[in-house]
Amino acid sequence: MRHAYVISLILASLCAACAAAPTPSPAPSASPKPPFRIVGYITDTGITPSTEQIAALTHINYAFALPGPEGALKGVANDWKLKDIVTRGSARGVKTLISIGGWGSDAAFERMAENPDYRARFVRETRAFVDLYGLDGVDIDWEYPVADPSPNGSAANFSALMQALSDVLRPDGKLLTMAVVTGGRNAEGIKADVLGRVDFVNIMVYDGGPGEGHAPYALAETALAYWEKRGLPQSKRVLGVPFYAKPGDVPYARLVAYDDKASLLDSVEFNGQTVFYNGIPTLQRKVALAQTRGSGIMFWHLGLDASEGPSLLKAIAEAARR
């Protein structure tokens, strides 16, 4: 009996210990992978996108508003078009950003960003523009800030501008993105601190050369590797592709109208010369690359796509669903 009593005491204490032991917390689940981005530039001239085209996108970069050298923001030419895109995009969960800058705007950016008063005015007017049109954010296309190490040089001014924009946009859930080149000297003006101030980065993997060097698959691999080495996380890397051919900036729509096999190729004879671009098979490969080493595809620009026949946007959207 004594042995039985002792055993019962031991069992009781063990049960009490089990009851007192905290229940193990479940292992934390991995963060859900963000949806694959399809970012399309739409210009303020040219075609008005169809609702089907808008629905195939996740983000629209409406191009371009322009920076004034003293900080004023020059608005878009056809704001009715912007309003229409915002309304139709919002109804389908597509975010619309105003893209500011573009080719030839570097001088205005340089002058504006080096002056704190001009810079502050630009930031105020940009935020006011976002609020006026109900936009989801801002895409900055200052493409070539100079890699100047001085405290008041181009690179430092670019950082200051992006910090100020981030401070007025991102706390309210507005997006801040930027367009960058593939790498090398022209990318060194973007300092590492900027990468933490943007939601994602559109890497312009085109115009790499006049012919075959325009936008080959190998250049996409090199560009993603460069920005990865620079510290840009996969979740922020968006691979840019062209909807036009070099030389001559020939729209893809004209190529497929000229040659019914052009959608399956990366070069064709057009008006007596060989032009180079990305056909559907190459874009499908680039989507797969972006899915493993990036977080989306960006393209310039929707007005260059075929509205009838083999659409590049449709091919990208279908490949992204695989």
Side-chain angles (χ1 to χ4, degrees):
M1 292 291 291
R2 179 176 174 80
H3 291 301
Y5 176 72
V6 171
I7 291 171
S8 67
L9 286 176
I10 294 171
L11 291 174
S13 65
L14 289 173
C15 290
C18 290
T23 304
S25 300
S29 58
S31 298
K33 186 177 181 180
F36 189 79
R37 300 180 180 106
I38 301 178
V39 183
Y41 280 87
I42 296 177
T43 64
D44 60 356
T45 58
I47 69 161
T48 298
S50 69
T51 297
E52 181 183 12
Q53 288 173 317
I54 290 175
L57 301 167
T58 61
H59 298 76
I60 294 167
N61 285 346
Y62 194 83
F64 285 107
L66 297 173
E70 296 183 357
L73 181 67
K74 300 177 182 178
V76 296
N78 299 303
D79 73 340
W80 62 265
K81 183 176 176 181
L82 175 58
K83 293 174 182 176
D84 172 63
I85 288 172
V86 169
T87 299
R88 289 191 288 146
S90 179
R92 289 156 184 83
V94 181
K95 296 185 182 300
T96 302
L97 294 79
I98 183 63
S99 189
I100 303 175
W103 180 256
S105 63
D106 280 45
F109 269 123
E110 293 281 1
R111 183 176 173 190
M112 174 270 292
E114 70 181 0
N115 183 301
D117 292 335
Y118 296 166
R119 192 165 64 226
R121 178 185 178 187
F122 174 80
V123 171
R124 286 195 306 272
E125 294 198 11
T126 297
R127 178 62 206 238
F129 190 93
V130 168
D131 293 340
L132 176 64
Y133 290 98
L135 299 170
D136 296 291
V138 174
D139 173 59
I140 294 295
D141 277 33
W142 180 356
E143 296 176 2
Y144 306 114
V146 180
D148 181 348
S150 66
N152 298 315
S154 176
N157 294 334
F158 182 80
S159 289
L161 175 64
M162 296 302 284
Q163 176 68 70
L165 286 168
S166 179
D167 288 345
V168 302
L169 293 170
R170 300 181 76 202
D172 293 336
K174 301 298 184 180
L175 298 173
L176 178 60
T177 71
M178 63 181 177
V180 301
V181 296
T182 55
R185 181 68 175 170
N186 286 335
E188 292 172 7
I190 298 171
K191 298 168 68 174
D193 60 289
V194 176
L195 304 182
R197 295 172 183 157
V198 295
D199 291 280
F200 59 87
V201 175
N202 299 303
I203 308 170
M204 300 181 292
V205 190
Y206 37 79
D207 294 343
E212 288 183 271
H214 170 37
Y217 182 84
L219 182 61
E221 292 181 303
T222 299
L224 288 171
Y226 170 84
W227 284 104
E228 180 179 6
K229 187 176 181 180
R230 285 286 310 272
L232 184 66
Q234 179 181 344
S235 62
K236 293 187 179 185
R237 297 194 295 263
V238 176
L239 175 63
V241 298
F243 278 15
Y244 61 95
K246 288 282 190 179
D249 295 345
V250 185
Y252 167 80
R254 290 187 63 188
L255 298 178
V256 294
Y258 186 82
D259 185 336
D260 58 8
K261 298 183 181 64
S263 66
L264 302 176
L265 305 172
D266 287 339
S267 66
V268 292
E269 293 296 314
F270 181 80
N271 287 348
Q273 67 176 344
T274 303
V275 296
F276 298 85
Y277 57 101
N278 287 169
I280 288 175
T282 293
L283 282 189
Q284 290 170 333
R285 289 183 68 205
K286 287 188 174 182
V287 168
L289 176 66
Q291 287 174 321
T292 57
R293 296 177 58 187
S295 62
I297 286 282
M298 172 274 285
F299 62 84
W300 176 267
H301 65 82
L302 185 62
L304 306 174
D305 195 14
S307 57
E308 298 179 2
S311 159
L312 294 181
L313 172 56
K314 185 177 180 180
I316 289 171
E318 289 176 350
R321 290 193 292 267
R322 293 175 187 168

